[in-house]
Amino acid sequence: MEMTNLLIWLLPVPPLLAFFIIVLFANRSNKASWMIGVGAAALSFLGSMVVFFQAVGAEHLGEHPFGSRLDWLPLNGAHFQIGLMVDPLSAIAIFFVAITVFMIFIYSVGYHNWGQPKGDDDIPGLPPHGATVVEHGHEHVVPSIEPMFARFFAFIGLFAFGMFTLVLADNLLLLFIGWEIMGLCSYLLIGFWYGKPSARAAMIKAFITTRVGDVFMLLGIALLYTSTGTLSFRAILFDEQVLQALASTDSGFFGLSVAGLTGILLFIGTIGKSAQFPLHVWLPDAMEGPTPVSAMIHAAAMVSAGVYMVIRMFPLMAAGMEHGHLTPPMYAMALIGSVTALFAATIALAQNDVKRVLAYSTISQLGYMVAALGIGAYVAATFHLVTHAFFKALLFLGSGSVIHGMEHGVLHTGDHHVDPQNMYNMGGLKDKMPRTFWTFLIGGFALSGFPVVTAGFWSKDEILADAWAHSQFVFWVLAIAAFLTAFYTMRQITLTFLGKPRTKEAEHAHETNLWMTGPLMVLAVLAIGFGWVGIPESFPGLGNYSNNWLHHFLGHGLPEWLYTEALEFSWFPLIASLVVALGGLGLGYAVYKDVPSAEEDPLKKVLGGFHTWLENKYYFDEAYDFLFIQPAKWFSEKVVFQLMDRKLIDGFLHLVARVTYWLGGIFRNYFDIPVVNRLIGDTLGGAVPQWFGKQLRKVQTGAIQTYMILAMVVAFGGLFVFMITMR
Amino acid sequence: MIPLSWYLILAALLFGIGLFGVLARKNVIAILLGIELMLNAVNINLLAFWRYLTPGDVTAQIFTVMVFVVAAAEVAVGLALVISVWRKRDTAYADELDMLKW
Amino acid sequence: MEPIQIVFLIGAALVLGSAVMVVTRRNLIHAALFLILTLSGVAMIFVLLEAFYWAVIQVVVYIGAIAILIIMAIMVTRNVTGDTVKPFNNMAVWAAMLSVVASGSLIWALSYWPAFDQTAPVADTGEYVIRLLGLELFSAEGYLIPTMIASVLLLAALIAAIKSAFPISQEEE
Amino acid sequence: MEKSLLTIILFAPSIAALLTLLIPKDYKKLIRIWALVASLVPLIFALVAWFSFEGAGADPNGYKFVVNQPWYQAIGSSYHVGMDGLSLTMVLLTTLLAPLAILASFGIEDRVRMYMALFLFLETGMLGVFLSLDLLLFFVFWEIGLVPMYFLINQWGSPKGEKELWNGMKVANRTYASFKFMIYTMAGSLGLLLAIQMLGVVFQTFDLPYIVGQWNAMAPGDEILGGFTTVGTAKAVAFWAFTIAFALKVPVWPFHTWLPDAHTEAPTAGSMILAGVLLKLGAFGFLRFVLPLYPEQAKAGANILAGLATAAIIFGAFAAFGQKDFKRLVAYSSVNHMGFVVLGVAAAARAIGSESATVALNGAVLQMFNHGLSAAGMFFLVGVVYDRIHTRDLEEMGGYFPLVPVYGGVLIFTSMASLGLPGLNGFISEFLVVRGAWGVFPVWTALGMIGLLFTGAYILKGISESLHGPLNETHVVHLSEINKRELAVITPLMVLMLWLGVWPGWLLDVIDKAMIALQSAIG
């Protein structure tokens, strides 16, 4: 136990150390950098597994979590404590975080072309362009190593540190610290190739958009701290009296209780971080970063953090819930989550960029989790968070592998105008890249919820079952979204891997090396296998072999008054989820199996003008630019600076100065010059002193002895006179 | 027995001679010599006071130490200045060094 | 006339006579040599005052160091033998009168002092005083800080002397 | 040692300044090194004070290392200096920034001796404000600090730029800025001086602890000044006189327009000190003088003050976002950050004695320290670029990251500290202020979040326009990597930023005790 408590503190440390060591000492050595980075991730991974399995074996982990705390901030004569803690939720979280992070680290080594020569004209800040090598007498172009290879591992190490800190934190402030560190890292990594204008825009967009949520969250933290005097999860969330007090105190804002207001403020943080509607705009643009970063943001860390936070704060969100009546924060979550799920899924239908489709699917899936939590499906939301992390990491890394394969083709043909990310440039990659294909297929099926075998099916099914039991509206929205998900996933798989190659580049695509496909295979196993820990006991047939371990493990991490037994089995949601998954997949394949180019996308005919809306993401970026960004720039520059500071305040000051100046002029012209200067100055001030000066000047001979004689005459003459007079 | 007055008169006369040297000589080094004489007069006075008035106390001697120190420092700096001036202006006459004149 | 008084008068005559020569000799070397004679006389006076320690210091520091230094400076700056310029400036008469007034008024002023004609008390002026002087000079309750300042002054004078007497460097030209 | 410690800290810089004047003016290297070494002396003694602070004996008012000698007996003023946790923090900041600023100004070639001497005098002025426990003594130091700063801006400020005034008269920007700085502060000082004189006449002394005790024991209806006015009226008037003087210095919106001008035109090291320490004088004045002397008036005026602070936070952030001049952007960020200090002070004034008040005060003082570090760092880094390419225009910059990776990393680090990234220092103080102010002024605090959001916006604007973005080819030749001396300036700041961000307990402990004592003194 003591050892475990110590080990918990050591989990976030290796990536942080890796960051500092690489930045300070190893930044010139690519080899040292990746070894330090991957080694750190491996250490954290091993430690996490030890902690995880100890947590699984521990009894009553919910009541007595692992962890320890120490005095951090001296405040008001006492101390604000911070600590790390492993309860069932954190245990599950470090499990998936550690694995995916470790896999992403390994993958990154290959992705950034470790072992390849230096590029011909690569510069830091732009993706590598390839290097020319001479082999067997003729030149050809091969991929070149990333110019900022070392820096990548430093940043991603810090990223991992942030996530570990966040999931292990035992109080909201430490969680927020990890939260913001990840914000910084996502900023740095999205803009990793800052030479591209799009990356520059995306990095700022990501940071600012999430910061909108963050400042609300900070307010929520301050409010919670003010009203409870602590930020510790145990002290707030597991103390029914505290929660009831929060739920019954009026906050003075919009008729909400303090608990309600806090919950909503914190949830706004999640809206920013987990890219929920309407702050979702940054996430698709985050694709500008290298693909491992996308995987990190979409699966392992960034967006999961937002959902993790609301899952963590669930007792607060649910405080005051009686007889199944949703509290205001839960209502907000259910609404925003389901809207996001559907809304993002529709946009994903019309995207042609292989990563962008996945980005919108992430937003949509996060909406699922948030909606699930909104209707009280705590376990289901967590379950989906974990399975989603696995299969989304798999899909992103897979898409990176595809892009890499395509870039190989681009290098071969030398035609740099072909976008290696556009799905309409691909096709038939199944035979070129078999390992990537099969793993991607597994990931895609898990995302679509392909029945029984994939993990995604079990988690999504549980959410739908919960929704069916609690809110019809949420159920139907999510079901439609699930259908769309299956459809666009199959569209993606079909366009990318099936059929015939549409371009020369696709013909010359090449399977990537084991650095990259290895992690894919590991994740594929998890994308299938992890579902089995959460099979409902009452599920026909399979339920006999399962004890729904996840539900018991996680459920007992909740305070008792929130714990609910697993739902009774119901046929309708099961059938619904079978229908939408299989129907979506089948339809997707049927529609897209022979589409030759983007112009002939069948959806265009069906949807007409609406398709353009979808392609342009409902014009959200343009609207935000028009509504917020341009006005903010105008307001800052023209109103605050030019008008307020320069014109009004400085203008007032200049007015004061002007009046003073004018008064001074009057004094000068009508008093100083005639009276003082002429009358007094020219006669008394001029002539008289001048005469004295002329006389006195004679004494100044410059010879030292003259001065001395004068001095002595004064001194001894004085003495002499004194003697004469005083005798 | 010698009364204190003898010493004081001697010192006063020596001081006067030194003062004359300082005021009247042209050569800067000669001026320095005059200063030395004056300082010696001071020393005679100090030690005479010590012997006649406070023989058990060494305060007067402490002042003598200080006078010695000042004398040594003054000679060192003074001579260095003389040499420096000599090099620069090729003169050692005080009345020729009158750049401070208006 | 007691013998000791005669000795004093001889010493005084030596001091004053050679001092007059110091300030009047045209040849600076001669003046400097007479200075040595004056300083020796002063040392003699110190012996009469039973300040034996100071007599020794007088010989060592003044005659041994300062006088020699002055002679060397004279040799550096002047063609010593052929010094043909008038030794006094044009204010010599005024200076002489002032000096007389100075000495006279000093003596005159002092003569009103009650202790003017005091004779020396009997006192231990030997080793004890030297020891006390040393202790006073270097104890914090006594004169440690003035001693320190004096030593710093000497150091500063040394540096200043070196700096200003050094051959003219380029930057000062 | 305990007796003379503060005197040494206080006057070591000015003695060093006088000695600097003795060095021949052409020995530039010697002057620089001497100034640097001399400025380390107060730092060393400040560290001595820091380490012996816990064990040192306190006087009945809680001040340590107290010296109380008659100074101006005729009017009852005395040389009364002392140190509590608040002044200890500020002294530490000042003595730390001074050597760094001097090191940063090694590149100055013009009248080095005068520059360094002024700088060291300035340090004495600033330290004096933090250590004085006598109102008149305080005022003397308060004014002393102005003079060197005026000349530093006026003489060594950026030589470029002209401003046209209303009558077509053209003045150099630095002349305009220094003049504005001087007049603005003097304007505030007038009322301050009058109020101090009034207190002096009433109590026949300028001793701060004594006045605090007597003043608050009086009933508002008591007649003073021979029946000329009552305590209540006098307090209300004097409160505003003090508040305006300090608000000008902080500066609180709308008294802030001198700041961007002065900061932009000052030499790099001048900006460092200006932002790092001089702004703190105002905030310090609130804590040391306004709160203890006028608790009731402060409580009544707190809402207005909080509103102005919020305005400073918001408009400071907006104005910073609207800048094209990198240095001016950083200057406006000072308005933004100091707004949090004033917000914390206002919250504490309103709710004095409560837990929120302590937290807000802790946050405010810590924010003063943190802003000192990060603003000084930011100004220095802007100066580093300016030294090389001689422009501060963000639109001309861009794409420096690949050319100067180390500088880029340092800039991002410092920017993030300024932005308030958790794990670095600014976050903790801002969080504490928000936490403390939220319970007192929820609406103002919530509005302040707009400012916090735009803090992110302008910081990122600064980074992206300078480090990222398209490269300006003409700068490539001039732009060299940050050198060792410059690294030596920024490294201590970065270490402290990180250290305070990760483990702020060591400093906050001192501040916390001082703030609890401050409130218990008011009662």
Side-chain angles (χ1 to χ4, degrees):
Chain A
M1 188 74 185
E2 283 306 308
M3 278 300 292
T4 314
N5 288 344
L6 190 65
L7 187 59
I8 293 170
W9 285 97
L10 294 181
L11 291 184
V13 173
L16 182 67
L17 279 182
F19 168 72
F20 279 112
I21 293 174
I22 295 173
V23 166
L24 294 177
F25 307 112
N27 53 12
R28 302 202 186 276
S29 163
N30 289 339
K31 186 173 184 187
S33 300
W34 78 253
M35 289 176 89
I36 292 167
V38 174
L43 278 179
S44 286
F45 169 71
L46 288 176
S48 303
M49 287 306 118
V50 172
V51 172
F52 174 69
F53 284 109
Q54 282 194 342
V56 169
E59 290 193 11
H60 303 298
L61 187 67
E63 287 85 42
H64 306 287
F66 301 154
S68 53
R69 37 202 358 223
L70 36 84
D71 292 348
W72 191 47
L73 288 181
L75 272 187
N76 211 9
H79 278 92
F80 180 84
Q81 290 189 315
I82 57 166
L84 298 184
M85 162 180 96
V86 172
D87 70 347
L89 179 59
S90 327
I92 295 279
I94 56 169
F95 175 73
F96 82 81
V97 170
I99 293 178
T100 42
V101 164
F102 186 37
M103 290 305 132
I104 290 167
F105 269 71
I106 295 176
Y107 178 90
S108 307
V109 179
Y111 182 81
H112 287 303
N113 295 327
W114 165 247
Q116 297 290 347
K118 272 207 177 118
D120 303 331
D121 46 5
D122 286 352
I123 53 164
L126 283 175
H129 298 301
T132 315
V133 289
V134 181
E135 216 170 69
H136 309 305
H138 47 262
E139 283 188 354
H140 59 130
V141 187
V142 296
S144 56
I145 191 166
E146 164 62 41
M148 298 188 296
F149 191 83
R151 185 180 298 180
F152 182 83
F153 280 93
F155 287 170
I156 207 166
L158 190 61
F159 207 141
F161 165 74
M163 189 62 189
F164 275 113
T165 311
L166 182 133
V167 296
L168 290 170
D170 81 338
N171 64 72
L172 206 46
L173 193 64
L174 192 58
L175 183 144
F176 188 67
I177 289 176
W179 177 282
E180 287 281 291
I181 288 175
M182 280 198 291
L184 169 70
C185 293
S186 64
Y187 164 78
L188 292 173
L189 284 167
I190 290 169
F192 188 69
W193 287 319
Y194 49 76
K196 297 194 288 185
S198 55
R200 282 203 302 276
M203 73 198 281
I204 292 178
K205 193 172 176 184
F207 199 93
I208 298 293
T209 315
T210 52
R211 200 174 166 85
V212 173
D214 292 352
V215 294
F216 283 103
M217 182 172 167
L218 188 66
L219 268 187
I221 296 174
L223 172 58
L224 190 61
Y225 193 5
T226 313
S227 39
T228 63
T230 176
L231 285 176
S232 158
F233 295 141
R234 302 296 308 175
I236 298 171
L237 304 178
F238 289 79
D239 191 330
E240 214 181 326
Q241 282 177 338
V242 171
L243 287 181
Q244 269 183 355
L246 287 179
S248 53
T249 317
D250 183 47
S251 71
F253 284 90
F254 318 114
L256 290 167
S257 70
V258 173
L261 183 59
T262 318
I264 286 179
L265 286 173
L266 292 180
F267 175 56
I268 297 175
T270 296
I271 293 181
K273 204 69 160 183
S274 291
Q276 297 296 291
F277 178 84
L279 296 181
H280 63 281
V281 288
W282 68 271
L283 193 64
D285 289 19
M287 297 303 98
E288 293 297 337
T291 303
V293 174
S294 310
M296 199 80 172
I297 290 174
H298 286 257
M302 189 85 173
V303 296
S304 304
V307 176
Y308 174 83
M309 194 269 289
V310 277
I311 295 176
R312 174 54 84 193
M313 300 310 291
F314 181 64
L316 179 76
M317 305 283 179
M321 183 169 70
E322 273 169 9
H323 313 300
H325 275 291
L326 299 184
T327 59
M330 290 174 78
Y331 194 76
M333 288 199 292
L335 188 67
I336 290 193
S338 44
V339 165
T340 310
L342 183 61
F343 160 85
T346 55
I347 298 180
L349 292 175
Q351 300 302 318
N352 295 337
D353 184 313
V354 65
K355 280 169 81 178
R356 216 167 259 280
V357 174
L358 292 176
Y360 281 103
S361 88
T362 305
I363 299 176
S364 164
Q365 296 302 308
L366 292 166
Y368 260 86
M369 300 170 209
V370 172
L373 207 59
I375 53 173
Y378 175 85
V379 176
T382 317
F383 191 18
H384 198 54
L385 176 67
V386 179
T387 56
H388 173 256
F390 288 136
F391 63 68
K392 191 49 66 65
L394 171 59
L395 285 171
F396 261 110
L397 298 184
S399 71
S401 181
V402 167
I403 295 165
H404 234 256
M406 284 297 291
E407 274 169 353
H408 210 276
V410 171
L411 286 180
H412 187 90
T413 60
D415 181 4
H416 286 282
H417 298 292
V418 174
D419 180 4
Q421 301 201 11
N422 192 332
M423 294 192 292
Y424 279 102
N425 291 336
M426 303 177 189
L429 293 179
K430 175 166 69 87
D431 306 322
K432 314 280 179 199
M433 311 175 71
R435 286 201 294 266
T436 306
F437 167 64
W438 286 109
T439 49
F440 198 94
L441 190 68
I442 291 169
F445 275 19
L447 172 62
S448 321
F450 188 79
V452 186
V453 286
T454 61
F457 168 73
W458 296 110
S459 54
K460 199 176 274 187
D461 179 52
E462 197 169 340
I463 290 178
L464 287 174
D466 272 307
W468 178 248
H470 290 114
S471 164
Q472 296 285 317
F473 168 73
V474 174
F475 173 80
W476 287 111
V477 174
L478 293 188
I480 298 169
F483 172 75
L484 294 177
T485 306
F487 178 76
Y488 66 67
T489 307
M490 201 57 211
R491 168 178 180 261
Q492 183 177 30
I493 293 171
T494 313
L495 287 178
T496 309
F497 290 103
L498 306 179
K500 297 214 165 46
R502 289 186 204 82
T503 56
K504 258 203 194 126
E505 285 74 18
E507 277 172 26
H508 289 98
H510 203 283
E511 180 63 293
T512 48
N513 58 23
L514 209 57
W515 280 113
M516 294 168 74
T517 51
L520 292 182
M521 289 185 266
V522 175
L523 288 169
V525 171
L526 284 161
I528 292 174
F530 193 80
W532 302 336
V533 303
I535 300 176
E537 280 162 343
S538 51
F539 195 80
L542 286 171
N544 299 336
Y545 306 100
S546 142
N547 58 0
N548 202 352
W549 172 82
L550 191 75
H551 190 93
H552 294 290
F553 184 67
L554 270 178
H556 289 294
L558 278 174
E560 265 175 47
W561 64 276
L562 269 175
Y563 179 71
T564 48
E565 285 300 328
L567 285 170
E568 282 302 307
F569 180 75
S570 156
W571 277 104
F572 188 77
L574 175 66
I575 293 170
S577 85
L578 285 177
V579 167
V580 295
L582 293 175
L585 287 172
L587 191 63
Y589 180 70
V591 171
Y592 280 97
K593 66 177 191 285
D594 291 319
V595 179
S597 73
E599 285 71 37
E600 296 173 46
D601 194 322
L603 269 188
K604 273 194 178 164
K605 289 172 210 141
V606 179
L607 295 175
F610 189 59
H611 190 267
T612 326
W613 272 72
L614 293 183
E615 247 181 334
N616 289 301
K617 309 142 210 166
Y618 296 98
Y619 295 100
F620 256 88
D621 285 342
E622 288 76 5
Y624 281 2
D625 188 63
F626 180 74
L627 285 176
F628 300 115
I629 298 167
Q630 295 310 329
K633 280 186 175 161
W634 173 80
F635 184 70
S636 306
E637 227 176 289
K638 297 286 186 277
V639 178
V640 175
F641 179 56
Q642 302 281 13
L643 178 71
M644 206 153 75
D645 276 14
R646 278 280 152 90
K647 290 257 165 58
L648 293 182
I649 298 177
D650 275 359
F652 175 73
L653 293 175
H654 289 172
L655 183 70
V656 172
R658 229 170 136 165
V659 170
T660 320
Y661 195 81
W662 176 73
L663 277 177
I666 287 181
F667 270 110
R668 181 180 153 77
N669 289 331
Y670 298 99
F671 181 74
D672 277 11
I673 292 179
V675 180
V676 180
N677 290 12
R678 301 263 157 70
L679 200 68
I680 303 175
D682 285 358
T683 51
L684 286 179
V688 177
Q690 217 170 38
W691 182 82
F692 272 104
K694 267 183 189 153
Q695 301 307 312
L696 282 176
R697 186 158 88 163
K698 288 174 185 163
V699 184
Q700 294 279 94
T701 62
I704 182 104
Q705 283 160 318
T706 321
Y707 299 146
M708 282 168 76
I709 285 184
L710 279 174
M712 290 298 142
V713 164
V714 171
F716 288 105
L719 182 63
F720 190 72
V721 173
F722 177 77
M723 286 316 298
I724 289 173
T725 53
M726 298 303 291
R727 181 165 51 88
Chain B
M1 294 302 281
I2 309 166
L4 177 60
S5 55
W6 291 26
Y7 290 101
L8 299 185
I9 292 166
L10 168 66
L13 292 174
L14 186 58
F15 187 84
I17 295 169
L19 183 61
F20 172 73
V22 171
L23 296 183
R25 293 292 295 241
K26 286 177 88 166
N27 194 303
V28 181
I29 294 180
I31 293 175
L32 278 179
L33 297 185
I35 292 174
E36 293 303 317
L37 293 180
M38 291 163 80
L39 287 171
N40 265 286
V42 171
N43 270 352
I44 292 175
N45 264 7
L46 283 172
L47 288 173
F49 287 146
W50 163 72
R51 181 65 192 88
Y52 281 77
L53 302 176
T54 59
D57 189 1
V58 292
T59 311
Q61 301 218 4
I62 300 283
F63 277 92
T64 315
V65 172
M66 297 305 154
V67 173
F68 265 86
V69 169
V70 169
E74 169 250 315
V75 167
V77 178
L79 289 178
L81 286 176
V82 171
I83 291 172
S84 170
V85 168
W86 173 254
R87 285 222 184 92
K88 272 193 176 166
R89 316 214 352 126
D90 201 25
T91 179
Y93 290 133
D95 50 1
E96 289 174 17
L97 301 171
D98 57 355
M99 283 163 298
L100 278 177
K101 200 162 85 171
W102 50 272
Chain C
M1 273 306 213
E2 293 169 43
I4 187 112
Q5 290 181 336
I6 295 172
V7 175
F8 175 85
L9 288 178
I10 293 171
L14 180 66
V15 168
L16 294 177
S18 53
V20 170
M21 299 308 267
V22 169
V23 296
T24 51
R25 283 300 85 190
R26 171 171 306 198
N27 187 326
L28 271 181
I29 289 286
H30 293 178
L33 291 175
F34 275 113
L35 177 71
I36 292 176
L37 208 55
T38 316
L39 297 175
S40 315
V42 172
M44 198 170 133
I45 299 296
F46 285 177
V47 171
L48 286 175
L49 281 169
E50 296 172 49
F52 308 110
Y53 173 67
W54 290 108
V56 175
I57 297 288
Q58 175 82 1
V59 172
V60 172
V61 174
Y62 263 111
I63 303 175
I66 294 179
I68 299 303
L69 198 60
I70 288 174
I71 290 172
M72 287 176 67
I74 295 167
M75 296 197 298
V76 171
T77 55
R78 204 105 208 127
N79 182 0
V80 279
T81 47
D83 207 345
T84 53
V85 188
K86 196 169 69 124
F88 300 118
N89 59 23
N90 48 13
M91 294 174 296
V93 183
W94 293 97
M97 280 163 60
L98 187 62
S99 302
V100 172
V101 170
S103 303
S105 53
L106 272 178
I107 296 167
W108 192 10
L110 284 169
S111 67
Y112 285 91
W113 187 30
F116 190 59
D117 279 323
Q118 194 164 348
T119 49
V122 180
D124 179 5
T125 55
E127 203 183 331
Y128 163 74
V129 172
I130 309 297
R131 184 188 300 276
L132 191 61
L133 176 66
L135 286 173
E136 284 284 304
L137 271 181
F138 290 102
S139 68
E141 295 80 29
Y143 295 87
L144 180 63
I145 291 176
T147 311
M148 289 298 154
I149 293 173
S151 53
V152 171
L153 174 70
L154 275 178
L155 180 67
L158 189 68
I159 294 170
I162 292 170
K163 172 73 182 73
S164 51
F166 228 72
I168 301 153
S169 60
Q170 291 307 313
E171 49 147 351
E172 282 171 297
E173 277 294 84
Chain D
M1 188 66 196
E2 282 202 358
K3 272 280 159 205
S4 49
L5 186 62
L6 296 189
T7 310
I8 296 174
I9 293 178
L10 196 47
F11 291 108
S14 37
I15 291 173
L18 289 175
L19 292 177
T20 310
L21 295 178
L22 298 179
I23 306 176
K25 67 170 187 289
D26 294 329
Y27 290 12
K28 292 181 180 171
K29 218 171 188 172
L30 178 66
I31 292 169
R32 287 174 191 141
I33 290 174
W34 160 253
L36 178 65
V37 170
S39 67
L40 288 175
V41 174
L43 175 60
I44 290 167
F45 282 99
L47 288 175
V48 169
W50 170 264
F51 285 111
S52 57
F53 189 75
E54 195 69 46
D59 78 345
N61 304 307
Y63 295 104
K64 304 189 176 184
F65 311 118
V66 173
V67 179
N68 195 349
Q69 297 287 339
W71 174 49
Y72 215 138
Q73 269 178 319
I75 55 171
S77 177
S78 52
Y79 175 70
H80 190 182
V81 292
M83 192 182 239
D84 64 352
L86 174 62
S87 34
L88 175 62
T89 313
M90 289 298 112
V91 166
L92 206 60
L93 176 68
T94 312
T95 51
L96 173 77
L97 285 183
L100 297 181
I102 286 176
L103 191 59
S105 36
F106 270 27
I108 291 204
E109 292 290 340
D110 177 31
R111 289 163 292 168
V112 180
R113 182 171 65 175
M114 206 57 218
Y115 178 90
M116 293 296 176
L118 283 174
F119 225 99
L120 289 166
F121 272 124
L122 180 63
E123 193 181 355
T124 291
M126 297 181 301
L127 289 170
V129 171
F130 294 137
L131 293 175
S132 302
L133 290 179
D134 183 281
L135 286 170
L136 198 64
L137 192 65
F138 155 76
F139 188 77
V140 168
F141 283 119
W142 173 267
E143 294 290 306
I144 281 179
L146 272 184
V147 181
M149 203 65 226
Y150 171 77
F151 284 109
L152 286 180
I153 300 172
N154 193 301
Q155 296 296 308
W156 285 271
S158 108
K160 285 188 205 163
E162 259 189 352
K163 194 173 183 75
E164 192 176 326
L165 295 182
W166 61 89
N167 52 0
M169 193 162 63
K170 279 190 179 161
V171 291
N173 263 343
R174 62 181 182 190
T175 314
Y176 174 79
S178 57
F179 198 67
K180 202 168 172 180
F181 164 74
M182 190 84 175
I183 294 293
Y184 237 124
T185 323
M186 293 294 276
S189 303
L190 277 181
L192 182 64
L193 181 63
L194 277 177
I196 288 177
Q197 297 290 14
M198 192 268 294
L199 288 173
V201 172
V202 172
F203 293 101
Q204 295 300 311
T205 176
F206 290 98
D207 195 72
L208 179 68
Y210 175 81
I211 293 180
V212 169
Q214 296 291 310
W215 190 228
N216 288 328
M218 290 178 170
D222 289 355
E223 290 191 340
I224 50 168
L225 297 173
F228 175 68
T229 181
T230 60
V231 170
T233 320
K235 270 192 175 182
V237 174
F239 165 72
W240 284 111
F242 270 71
T243 303
I244 288 175
F246 296 140
L248 282 170
K249 198 83 169 185
V250 168
V252 177
W253 193 88
F255 305 120
H256 65 286
T257 54
W258 65 268
L259 183 140
D261 285 324
H263 280 55
T264 311
E265 296 309 323
T268 300
S271 309
M272 286 171 75
I273 288 292
L274 200 52
V277 186
L278 250 65
L279 303 186
K280 311 301 175 299
L281 300 184
F284 178 84
F286 278 118
L287 295 171
R288 174 69 92 230
F289 300 101
V290 175
L291 286 191
L293 283 172
Y294 316 102
E296 301 89 18
Q297 287 72 17
K299 197 175 228 166
N303 210 351
I304 300 173
L305 205 56
L308 294 183
T310 312
I313 295 172
I314 298 173
F315 293 133
F318 271 121
F321 183 58
Q323 294 308 317
K324 293 189 176 73
D325 181 330
F326 202 174
K327 210 169 175 188
R328 198 174 277 271
L329 186 152
V330 180
Y332 268 111
S333 86
S334 287
V335 179
N336 169 258
H337 285 132
M338 290 307 287
F340 278 98
V341 175
V342 180
L343 182 62
V345 172
R350 168 54 66 89
I352 201 107
S354 69
E355 195 216 354
S356 284
T358 315
V359 176
L361 283 176
N362 278 341
V365 178
L366 193 62
Q367 172 81 347
M368 283 158 75
F369 195 86
N370 288 340
H371 176 253
L373 299 180
S374 56
M378 284 304 285
F379 275 117
F380 174 70
L381 291 173
V382 174
V384 168
V385 168
Y386 182 76
D387 284 347
R388 287 162 173 69
I389 57 173
H390 301 288
T391 179
R392 302 181 305 246
D393 194 343
L394 280 172
E395 287 178 351
E396 286 183 35
M397 298 187 186
Y400 296 161
F401 209 170
L403 303 176
V404 286
V406 178
Y407 172 81
V410 171
L411 180 65
I412 289 180
F413 182 96
T414 315
S415 301
M416 287 302 149
S418 176
L419 177 150
L421 186 82
L424 298 175
N425 55 357
F427 168 68
I428 293 167
S429 46
E430 275 172 18
F431 173 71
L432 290 178
V433 169
V434 170
R435 149 77 184 85
W438 172 258
V440 187
F441 300 118
V443 176
W444 291 133
T445 315
L447 282 176
M449 291 299 115
I450 301 174
L452 212 52
L453 174 66
F454 272 83
T455 308
Y458 69 71
I459 290 283
L460 295 195
K461 176 177 175 180
I463 294 179
S464 70
E465 303 258 313
S466 59
L467 293 184
H468 304 143
L471 178 65
N472 185 335
E473 298 289 344
T474 53
H475 291 164
V476 175
V477 242
H478 304 292
L479 204 62
S480 55
E481 184 60 285
I482 185 168
N483 62 30
K484 286 212 177 81
R485 172 178 64 81
E486 288 158 346
L487 274 178
V489 176
I490 196 72
T491 309
L493 294 175
M494 286 168 60
V495 168
L496 269 177
M497 286 173 202
L498 186 63
W499 186 14
L500 272 174
V502 175
W503 198 258
W506 58 277
L507 185 62
L508 205 53
D509 191 39
V510 173
I511 297 174
D512 189 49
K513 282 178 187 148
M515 291 304 112
I516 292 173
L518 178 91
Q519 293 178 71
S520 66
I522 300 166

